[in-house]
């Protein structure tokens, strides 16, 4: 008997709907990263550049927690619809914005929706697909980043230079509508019997998620206060964020306890180092190297393609590859890529070196990210899939949000916001990436390969 695949009759609609939604989110992510320097210049919003990225990540934590509890209570159908609706609303607000502050508001709404979408997709994969198929499904989800990586930055650059950056947001909003329509029949196939036994929303967890978001947002704008006040606000915000995240992740996460806690912490640190660097790389290329937005977007393209290819390969050969070796190689490649970017900024090397080197980061993330998702799902029971999926995705959001906030503080508040400012940002990224290398060794057992896998964010 031929084994069922992700596109067999039983799973075809669910697989297709999931991949399309990831495709749309991937295009938006890469396109906005490419065109944000243009938005910042037109709206005089350089002071809010980092905030425009950190803010949606911070608020997405609330969406993740709410969606995770909602999924555990009644299944993923309704939370997915609500999350997609919020995502679209945020895109419209940002696309129609007349100031950088309004762009940030739209990004906040968008982030709330994107956080919910990510968690519900994880729960759908965990509940619908057998463990043997999950590596292939998550590999397809990562592969959905390949085409956006190839064309997203280019299209965003062209739009920014011709009809305007607003269509990067509004165009994606239009695409989301048919994507949601495709998913509606998919979600009807999820039987109510597949829901968990959770007793309902845990209000304290929602409050903690709101406090975490508030702490990250305060950190992201702390540079605006200037001087000693900025430092005091930043330190207080970090303390609030650390206190608030503890109830939202497995016990022992902040101390790196072996098992699920170490998996979540590794993901948090790795995501922080990668995305802080990737967000500022197009900014470096457009400002200091006179690259066009489309040319600067090549860095995102090569990384995205490498990410998708590496993820597909590790998914195909998941049964042969040991978790510890994959995680160590993946995190080391990310650290090497960030080191190349740092050297480019600090030594004034040609910009194409940073673009070529950034392909290593995509390869590393394509290896490490899926395998961390594997380990998390394989260690989760049916009733805590929502909580653990939420925790992993909170790490995906909180790590980059805090890293971007600190990067923005270093770039804006400290003297020398030119090449030295970029070097400080990339130095922070390297420190985090090296931390992920150290954590990765304890995030997986020494022996058996995993039975399941995961995808880009």
């Amino acid at each position: 008997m031929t084994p069922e695949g992700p596109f067999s009759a039983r799973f075809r609609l669910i697989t297709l709907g999931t991949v399309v939604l990831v495709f749309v989110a991937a295009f938006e992510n890469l396109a906005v990263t490419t065109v944000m320097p243009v938005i910042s210049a037109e709206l005089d919003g350089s002071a809010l550049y980092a905030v425009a990225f950190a803010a949606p990540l911070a608020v997405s934590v609330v969406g993740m927690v709410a969606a995770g509890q909602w999924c555990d209570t009644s299944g993923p159908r309704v939370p997915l619809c609500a999350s997609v609706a919020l995502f679209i609303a945020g895109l419209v607000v940002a696309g129609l914005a007349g100031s950088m502050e309004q762009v940030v508001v739209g990004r906040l709404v968008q982030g709330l929706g994107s956080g919910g979408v990510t968690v519900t997709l994880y729960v759908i994969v965990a509940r619908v697909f057998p463990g043997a198929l999950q590596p292939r499904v998550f590999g397809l989800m990562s592969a959905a980043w390949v085409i956006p990586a190839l064309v997203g930055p280019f299209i965003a650059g062209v739009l920014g230079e011709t009809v305007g950056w607003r269509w990067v947001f509004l165009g994606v909003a239009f695409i989301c509508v048919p994507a949601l329509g495709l998913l509606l029949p998919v979600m009807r196939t999820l039987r109510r019997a597949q829901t968990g036994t959770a007793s309902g929303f845990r209000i304290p967890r929602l409050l903690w998620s709101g406090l975490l978001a508030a702490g990250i947002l305060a950190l992201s704008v702390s540079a605006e206060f200037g001087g000693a006040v900025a430092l005091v606000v930043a330190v207080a915000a970090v303390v609030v964020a650390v206190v608030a995240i503890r109830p939202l992740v497995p016990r022992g996460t902040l101390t790196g306890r072996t098992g699920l806690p170490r998996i979540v912490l590794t993901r948090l640190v790795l995501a922080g180092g990668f995305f802080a660097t990737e967000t500022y790389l197009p900014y470096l290329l457009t400002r200091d190297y006179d690259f066009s937005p489309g040319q600067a977007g090549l860095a995102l393209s090569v990384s995205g393609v490498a990410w998708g290819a590496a993820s597909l390969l590790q998914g195909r050969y998941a049964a042969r590859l040991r978790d510890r070796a994959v995680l160590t190689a993946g995190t080391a490649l990310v650290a090497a890529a960030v080191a190349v970017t740092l050297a480019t900024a600090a030594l004034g090397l040609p910009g194409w070196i940073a673009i070529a080197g950034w392909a290593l980061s995509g390869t590393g993330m394509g290896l490490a990210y899926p395998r961390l998702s594997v380990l998390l799902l394989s260690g989760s029971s049916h009733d805590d899939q929502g909580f653990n999926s939420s925790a992993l995705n909170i790490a995906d959001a909180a790590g980059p949000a805090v890293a971007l906030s600190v990067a923005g503080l270093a770039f804006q508040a400290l003297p020398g916001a030119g090449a030295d400012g970029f070097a400080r940002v990339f130095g922070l990224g390297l420190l985090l990436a090296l931390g992920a290398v150290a954590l990765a060794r304890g995030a997986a057992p020494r022996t058996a390969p995993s039975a399941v896998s995961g995808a880009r964010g």
Side-chain angles (χ1 to χ4, degrees):
M1 180 177 178
T2 303
E4 287 186 299
F7 288 102
S8 62
R10 178 184 172 192
F11 301 117
R12 186 179 300 123
L13 287 178
I14 294 177
T15 300
L16 184 60
T18 299
V19 169
V20 169
L21 196 57
V22 172
F23 175 91
V24 172
F27 180 88
E28 185 275 338
N29 180 286
L30 294 166
V32 171
T33 302
T34 301
V35 82
M36 190 59 75
V38 176
I39 300 173
S40 175
E42 181 176 322
L43 300 180
D44 192 24
S46 60
L48 294 176
Y49 184 86
V51 179
F53 291 98
L57 289 169
V59 176
S60 70
V61 171
V62 180
M64 290 171 186
V65 171
Q69 294 192 54
W70 205 345
C71 288
D72 284 341
T73 301
S74 60
R77 291 177 294 178
V78 177
L80 184 57
C81 286
S83 298
V84 172
L86 283 171
F87 183 72
I88 293 173
L91 289 170
V92 173
V93 171
L96 299 178
S99 67
M100 194 66 171
E101 288 80 6
Q102 292 174 12
V103 170
V104 172
V105 170
R107 297 277 284 162
L108 284 168
V109 178
Q110 177 190 337
L112 190 63
S114 66
V117 169
T118 303
V119 170
T120 53
L121 289 181
Y122 267 67
V123 174
I124 287 171
V125 172
R127 295 188 180 181
V128 172
F129 294 94
L133 278 185
Q134 289 176 11
R136 297 176 62 183
V137 175
F138 279 121
L140 288 169
M141 290 169 67
S142 285
W145 282 76
V146 173
I147 294 178
L150 285 171
V151 303
F154 173 76
I155 292 175
V158 171
L159 289 175
E161 296 170 353
T162 55
V163 297
W165 55 265
R166 299 179 186 280
W167 285 99
V168 171
F169 295 100
L170 299 177
V172 172
F174 282 121
I175 298 173
C176 283
V177 175
L180 180 59
L182 179 63
L183 282 167
L184 289 176
V186 174
M187 289 183 287
R188 283 197 293 268
T189 67
L190 296 178
R191 300 186 303 275
R192 184 169 296 276
Q194 292 174 312
T195 63
T197 58
S199 58
F201 280 91
R202 299 178 181 89
I203 300 301
R205 291 196 69 237
L206 289 174
L207 294 177
W208 283 120
S209 68
L211 187 61
L212 173 60
I216 295 174
L217 288 173
L219 179 60
S220 68
V221 300
S222 59
E224 298 299 306
F225 294 95
V229 176
L231 182 60
V232 171
V233 172
V235 171
V238 170
V239 172
V240 169
V242 169
V243 171
I245 199 173
R246 290 185 63 190
L248 305 177
V249 294
R251 183 170 301 184
T253 294
L254 298 182
T255 57
R257 182 185 301 171
T258 302
L260 287 178
R262 179 69 69 93
I263 293 169
V264 174
L265 182 60
T266 303
R267 185 85 158 231
L268 184 151
V269 174
L270 179 62
F274 174 86
F275 286 107
T277 304
E278 184 179 68
T279 299
Y280 274 87
L281 180 53
Y283 197 4
L284 169 72
L285 295 174
T286 54
R287 204 185 80 167
D288 289 6
Y289 288 87
D290 294 325
F291 280 33
S292 70
Q295 291 172 329
L298 287 174
L300 309 184
S301 295
V302 297
S303 174
V305 171
W307 187 325
S311 181
L312 281 175
L313 285 175
Q314 71 81 35
R316 181 177 294 273
Y317 300 106
R320 305 179 188 178
L321 302 174
R322 299 195 180 281
D323 297 324
R324 178 166 292 196
V326 171
L327 290 180
T328 301
T331 52
L333 284 171
V334 173
V338 178
V340 171
T341 307
L342 172 60
T344 301
L347 303 177
L349 302 178
W352 64 265
I353 293 179
I355 292 177
W358 199 239
L360 294 175
S361 72
T363 304
M365 294 294 276
L367 293 174
Y369 240 55
R371 198 50 62 105
L372 290 168
S373 295
V374 158
L375 294 167
L376 179 110
L377 289 182
S378 62
S380 302
S381 67
H382 183 277
D383 290 338
D384 63 10
Q385 288 166 347
F387 174 82
N388 288 338
S389 295
S390 173
L392 191 68
N393 286 284
I394 285 171
D396 283 342
V402 172
L404 281 166
S405 298
V406 175
L409 182 64
F411 191 84
Q412 292 288 339
L414 297 178
D420 290 343
F422 285 113
R424 286 193 293 267
V425 170
F426 301 145
L428 170 66
L430 180 58
L431 182 64
L432 291 171
L434 291 174
V437 174
L439 289 167
R441 293 185 59 81
R446 293 181 179 275
T447 55
S450 297
V452 289
S453 186
R456 175 166 182 163

